[in-house]
Amino acid sequence: MIVLELGYNLLLSFMFAFLAASFLILYRKAKKPLHLWLSVTFFLFLLDDTFLYISQILFYLAERPPHFLISGGPVERIISFATLFAYLMVVDTETGHKTSRRKQVITLVLCALLIVYSFYGLSDRTTQIVTCLALELWCALLFAQGAWRLHTHPELSDEPQYIAVWKWSFVALSLLSLLAGLEFTVAALYPQHSVQLILHLPTRRLVFIEVLSILSSVLCACYLNRESTDLFLSSKQPDSAAQRMEKLFPILVMRYGLTRRELDVLADILAGKTGQEIGEHLSISPGTVKAHKHNIFQKTDSGNIQELLALISCIEQSESSTSNPAE
């Protein structure tokens, strides 16, 4: 049994390490902040799995009691706090929202309370349940908020092709976080009736927490594959978006009255650039980029970037059929 537990943890550690390194490499190539925060998230997953579980298995095999820092307490809580903050940055980055000062303060206060609990060894069961349940509920709230933002304001996202995927991923992660919090509460109140994936160790691994980490890894692995493919294809055809816009400039000006700067923004959107990348390329602020996007949507009567891209495709098809009539 202990061999299976060690193998399972080693497999998780390899998966987390691979995703953390891959997103870091992707960030260095594409310079998307979302890639950086996903790399940080999986690095924290790796620390959690290595320090809190694999180390405990090794202590168990050596027939020695695990050190307090490893068996729970400060290290476990600090990693949990850092992961919560990484979740916050992932959600806000993907949905195009700047992390508010109030949200940062609330997150840090919650983390500080849990740190006090860990370092001073407050073993009261009620305190343990309240703090850990608050952590999972806060994660569920973050993911639910991210899904709602993508549903109500999809135009703020810098990745229109992934809006539906991210939205439903956030919904699933929110539900799993909620279930994980409830499962932990039941396990703390009735430990004899809880289902544990690790039976020999003092730190329990519960079902929904494991499903949450594995589902997160699978979803991000799929996203990593698509992002890597898009990056590779764009590197092979760096001027395709510029060539498309050169043909469309006169049409867009005459039909929709787009200004030169709006056309520049539209060209970068077709090139797959994020709002931050557009601002850096055109030397304008993120707020100005959003204002230009809003004007483009209004003038073209598009509700979001997906509708705008569909409109561009229709114009291209129409022009192609006009320039090459059937004989």
Side-chain angles (χ1 to χ4, degrees):
M1 183 65 181
I2 196 69
V3 175
L4 292 177
E5 293 173 359
L6 181 59
Y8 171 73
N9 282 275
L10 289 175
L11 180 61
L12 284 182
S13 295
F14 174 78
M15 178 172 61
F16 296 152
F18 171 77
L19 289 172
S22 298
F23 276 115
L24 183 60
I25 294 172
L26 197 61
Y27 170 72
R28 296 186 64 181
K29 296 290 185 181
K31 300 299 182 183
K32 287 186 178 182
L34 178 62
H35 297 159
L36 176 62
W37 287 112
L38 287 173
S39 177
V40 170
T41 300
F42 283 106
F43 176 72
L44 292 170
F45 282 3
L46 176 63
L47 288 180
D48 177 81
D49 192 69
T50 302
F51 281 102
L52 301 184
Y53 298 109
I54 294 180
S55 57
Q56 288 194 48
I57 293 177
L58 296 178
F59 274 106
Y60 177 81
L61 292 175
E63 298 182 351
R64 294 176 54 188
H67 192 275
F68 168 71
L69 291 177
I70 295 177
S71 62
V75 173
E76 179 185 6
R77 294 291 173 249
I78 290 174
I79 293 175
S80 298
F81 316 147
T83 305
L84 174 64
F85 193 81
Y87 286 160
L88 171 66
M89 298 307 299
V90 167
V91 171
D92 284 356
T93 304
E94 169 56 27
T95 56
H97 282 69
K98 184 178 180 180
T99 306
S100 66
R101 180 78 56 158
R102 183 180 64 179
K103 187 183 295 184
Q104 290 179 345
V105 170
I106 293 175
T107 304
L108 292 176
V109 168
L110 177 60
C111 294
L113 292 175
L114 292 174
I115 287 176
V116 171
Y117 151 75
S118 300
F119 276 96
Y120 288 91
L122 300 177
S123 58
D124 179 72
R125 179 177 296 179
T126 303
T127 304
Q128 183 182 14
I129 293 174
V130 170
T131 51
C132 293
L133 182 60
L135 183 66
E136 295 296 340
L137 291 179
W138 185 243
C139 290
L141 179 62
L142 284 179
F143 290 130
Q145 188 179 42
W148 178 251
R149 285 176 180 172
L150 290 177
H151 178 71
T152 55
H153 299 288
E155 71 278 359
L156 296 180
S157 175
D158 289 328
E159 299 178 313
Q161 67 274 33
Y162 301 133
I163 286 179
V165 175
W166 277 109
K167 180 173 69 173
W168 291 110
S169 297
F170 284 157
V171 170
L173 294 175
S174 177
L175 292 175
L176 282 173
S177 298
L178 181 61
L179 291 173
L182 296 176
E183 183 183 31
F184 177 85
T185 303
V186 173
L189 292 175
Y190 308 102
Q192 67 277 15
H193 299 301
S194 63
V195 178
Q196 302 175 26
L197 296 183
I198 299 297
L199 301 178
H200 300 297
L201 306 178
T203 301
R204 291 189 292 271
R205 303 191 72 157
L206 303 177
V207 175
F208 285 113
I209 293 178
E210 292 305 293
V211 173
L212 178 62
S213 63
I214 293 174
L215 178 62
S216 302
S217 302
V218 171
L219 292 173
C220 288
C222 296
Y223 171 71
L224 173 66
N225 178 60
R226 295 179 65 174
E227 281 286 272
S228 302
T229 302
D230 291 345
L231 183 63
F232 175 78
L233 293 177
S234 63
S235 65
K236 293 295 182 180
Q237 299 177 344
D239 297 325
S240 59
Q243 293 173 355
R244 291 171 63 189
M245 287 306 299
E246 284 295 330
K247 299 177 181 179
L248 295 176
F249 274 170
I251 303 171
L252 294 173
V253 170
M254 288 187 295
R255 291 187 185 179
Y256 304 105
L258 297 183
T259 65
R260 178 68 198 187
R261 182 58 84 183
E262 289 167 354
L263 292 171
D264 292 339
V265 172
L266 180 56
D268 283 347
I269 291 175
L270 290 179
K273 295 182 179 179
T274 65
Q276 181 178 354
E277 291 171 338
I278 295 174
E280 293 174 355
H281 179 232
L282 301 179
S283 300
I284 55 180
S285 67
T288 304
V289 174
K290 290 183 179 180
H292 285 313
K293 283 185 177 180
H294 178 73
N295 292 337
I296 293 172
F297 292 148
Q298 278 195 329
K299 291 180 179 181
T300 58
D301 196 25
S302 302
N304 50 50
I305 294 181
Q306 290 174 314
E307 293 183 8
L308 178 62
L309 295 178
L311 175 64
I312 297 297
S313 297
C314 290
I315 295 176
E316 288 179 324
Q317 292 175 2
S318 176
E319 289 301 308
S320 176
S321 61
T322 302
S323 58
N324 299 294
E327 296 185 5

